[in-house]
Amino acid sequence: MEKQLIINNTKVIIKTGDITEENVDAIVNAANSSLMGGGGVDGAIHSKGGKQILEECKKIRETIYPEGLPTGKAVITTAGNLPSKYVIHTVGPICNGKWSKNLEKQLYSAFYNSLELAKRENLKSIAFPFVSAGAYRCPKEKVATTAKKAIIDFIKYENSLDEIRFVLFSEEDFNIFIKSFER
Ligand code: AR6
């Protein structure tokens, strides 16, 4: 399933699929602070992308983020064997079913900082997964609304990207996303 929107000349694509198969400049990884891999999208990216990604993550830990990547920040590595050129690793908040202004702020930053990093690297297309909507258990509708806010603000204030994709793993998640964009 796929839906295309145009927002201020930027193509926004909402689709079902496996993000590791997306052919874009950068796919975003819903990582954890350790940057050492895990389950969900993170596990799929590291296992299909190969060890090059982990090697670069280790370098980032040794240099700029010895204590781990803080929630809401983003870093970039190459994408190893994946079809995309880069992986942008971000860390969304852990909600455990709850929601608050602070969690919203952290999640907004995860989306916005990933977009800004793509801009800094002169990238033209980016694909996001449903950050924090899996193991971190943030309410899915809230994640979709926060993602929408972040991308609309980015497009409005400092757009540089030709295409922003959201790649959802199930039809149910796709429908939640579509609803938030129609509001
Ligand atoms: N392509 C697209 N979406 C996927 C894929 C895939 N290949 N695999 C899973 N999803 P999660 P989080 C969906 O748990 O909530 C990891 O262990 C999945 O259905 O990957 O931010 C990390 O290391 C869900 O909708 O990310 C962290 O410890 C969405 O991706 C922690 O999980 C996000 O689920 C991060 O948790």
Side-chain angles (χ1 to χ4, degrees):
M1 306 183 84
E2 184 168 326
K3 186 170 167 114
Q4 220 186 90
L5 308 162
I6 305 284
I7 305 175
N8 280 1
N9 293 326
T10 303
K11 214 190 269 180
V12 177
I13 293 176
I14 300 166
K15 61 180 285 194
T16 48
D18 178 343
I19 200 164
T20 61
E21 290 168 11
E22 292 296 312
N23 196 347
V24 281
D25 288 343
I27 61 168
V28 175
N29 182 16
N32 60 58
S33 288
S34 80
L35 294 177
M36 294 298 110
V41 197
D42 196 9
I45 288 173
H46 280 283
S47 76
K48 290 193 188 164
K51 57 178 192 283
Q52 171 72 26
I53 301 174
L54 188 62
E55 289 308 316
E56 289 178 44
C57 284
K58 282 184 182 156
K59 286 245 162 65
I60 292 168
R61 285 295 309 277
E62 282 160 18
T63 53
I64 29 180
Y65 288 114
E67 286 178 4
L69 183 65
T71 305
K73 300 276 186 204
V75 292
I76 191 165
T77 66
T78 54
N81 306 324
L82 299 173
S84 64
K85 295 194 193 103
Y86 299 95
V87 177
I88 290 176
H89 306 261
T90 192
V91 182
I94 301 173
C95 297
N96 285 328
K98 301 199 174 70
W99 191 244
S100 66
K101 271 275 155 222
N102 192 43
L103 293 167
E104 181 181 354
K105 225 165 119 184
Q106 290 177 329
L107 186 61
Y108 179 95
S109 295
F111 284 110
Y112 204 92
N113 286 329
S114 299
L115 291 163
E116 275 201 319
L117 180 51
K119 179 179 177 179
R120 270 205 306 282
E121 297 288 327
N122 288 318
L123 307 186
K124 290 292 161 199
S125 55
I126 187 168
F128 284 96
F130 213 172
V131 179
S132 279
Y136 282 178
R137 291 182 48 237
C138 294
K140 291 180 173 181
E141 286 77 11
K142 302 291 188 194
V143 176
T145 310
T146 306
K148 176 190 166 188
K149 268 189 206 152
I151 73 132
I152 287 181
D153 287 350
F154 179 80
I155 289 174
K156 228 180 356 194
Y157 299 122
E158 50 179 328
N159 195 26
S160 57
L161 294 163
D162 295 332
E163 196 177 310
I164 301 170
R165 296 185 193 172
F166 287 98
V167 183
L168 292 320
F169 218 32
S170 69
E171 215 176 298
E172 185 198 325
D173 289 353
F174 173 85
N175 287 327
I176 291 171
F177 235 87
I178 293 292
K179 261 198 204 132
S180 93
F181 269 83
E182 279 169 352
R183 243 177 258 134

